[in-house]
Amino acid sequence: DAGVTQSPTHLIKTRGQQVTLRCSPKSGHDTVSWYQQALGQGPQFIFQYYEEEERQRGNFPDRFSGHQFPNYSSELNVNALLLGDSALYLCASSFGTGGKTQYFGPGTRLLVL
Amino acid sequence: GENVEQHPSTLSVQEGDSAVIKCTYSDSASNYFPWYKQELGKGPQLIIDIRSNVGEKKDQRIAVTLNKTAKHFSLHITETQPEDSAVYFCAASTARDSSYKLIFGSGTRLLVRP
């Protein structure tokens, strides 16, 4: 049973560019949440997708957007990258929005130069 | 606002000793409290969780306790081993319109000395 997978594992971008990160949820899960983890800090909630809709959003600007596909996989897009966007981006999957147990993928390490 | 405080930030114990990490949450509506272990270069791994209708839960060497009145919950690791060395995060689940998100503490770096 494959767990949560994310791609790419590492990414280097320059300021002002755009980036797309991808996530495939654990088998049987239909909800995907995205988190940003800065170095030395705990993950911070970005948003959650269920039934291809954004269900809840954290305190992140509109530069952060997402999408969920019919097969439950998800993308995180960040536009106009800033140096401060450098972080580990984590995807977590769960069953239903009320399914509180979230399982995390290995993350995508984004470095903005 | 929603907040989870975690202490200590670093913890060093001798192999075989116990380790305790404590967290406090602010949202009285929180009712699910997971603990994650994160090793270097990896994503957080769920190690144990507790729901608000339970005061204590144990899984082999790991136990979690919850005091809803005080809004405190703690992770206890007994008979620590070097492979327990990692960063541990507590989290509290908060809901909005039936959609839940996790609010994380700032992490505890645990070092188990052989």
Side-chain angles (χ1 to χ4, degrees):
Chain A
D1 176 25
V4 180
T5 60
Q6 293 186 243
S7 63
T9 56
H10 295 83
L11 206 51
I12 300 176
K13 293 286 187 178
T14 56
R15 281 178 298 174
Q17 285 189 311
Q18 177 264 344
V19 67
T20 297
L21 311 180
R22 296 175 177 82
C23 170
S24 291
K26 183 179 169 69
S27 178
H29 285 181
D30 56 8
T31 302
V32 172
S33 302
W34 286 93
Y35 294 80
Q36 179 195 66
Q37 186 177 23
L39 203 59
Q41 297 182 21
Q44 287 199 316
F45 176 78
I46 303 175
F47 41 53
Q48 182 181 82
Y49 277 85
Y50 172 69
E51 293 186 334
E52 302 179 48
E53 290 186 8
E54 184 183 291
R55 296 293 177 163
Q56 190 175 175
R57 188 180 183 90
N59 189 26
F60 280 81
D62 292 345
R63 298 187 297 109
F64 289 77
S65 63
H67 187 78
Q68 185 178 35
F69 300 93
N71 67 352
Y72 309 122
S73 66
S74 177
E75 288 182 348
L76 164 65
N77 301 292
V78 187
N79 294 323
L81 285 167
L82 304 174
L83 297 180
D85 294 332
S86 295
L88 180 68
Y89 288 86
L90 295 162
C91 167
S93 76
S94 56
F95 178 69
T97 57
K100 306 164 192 177
T101 304
Q102 296 187 13
Y103 296 91
F104 283 83
T108 294
R109 174 77 59 189
L110 172 65
L111 177 60
V112 182
L113 301 177
Chain B
E2 303 152 340
N3 186 49
V4 174
E5 293 189 359
Q6 182 172 348
H7 300 281
S9 57
T10 59
L11 181 58
S12 180
V13 299
Q14 195 71 37
E15 181 178 0
D17 287 350
S18 294
V20 179
I21 303 170
K22 298 182 179 181
C23 290
T24 303
Y25 61 96
S26 61
D27 186 353
S28 56
S30 294
N31 56 9
Y32 172 66
F33 307 91
W35 286 86
Y36 289 88
K37 175 184 180 181
Q38 188 172 28
E39 297 175 289
L40 197 61
K42 297 184 178 181
Q45 175 193 3
L46 179 70
I47 56 171
I48 195 168
D49 56 13
I50 191 168
R51 299 182 190 273
S52 61
N53 57 345
V54 176
E56 183 174 358
K57 183 177 178 181
K58 190 173 182 181
D59 182 5
Q60 299 182 357
R61 296 185 297 109
I62 295 174
V64 58
T65 59
L66 171 65
N67 182 331
K68 283 215 74 180
T69 302
K71 292 193 274 188
H72 290 169
F73 58 114
S74 301
L75 177 71
H76 304 252
I77 306 174
T78 58
E79 301 173 21
T80 54
Q81 302 166 2
E83 51 265 39
D84 293 330
S85 296
V87 180
Y88 290 80
F89 291 98
C90 63
S93 179
T94 65
R96 188 173 76 190
D97 299 330
S98 78
S99 169
Y100 289 83
K101 66 179 182 184
L102 295 177
I103 304 298
F104 282 84
S106 54
T108 295
R109 184 172 299 278
L110 174 64
L111 173 64
V112 180
R113 306 186 305 273

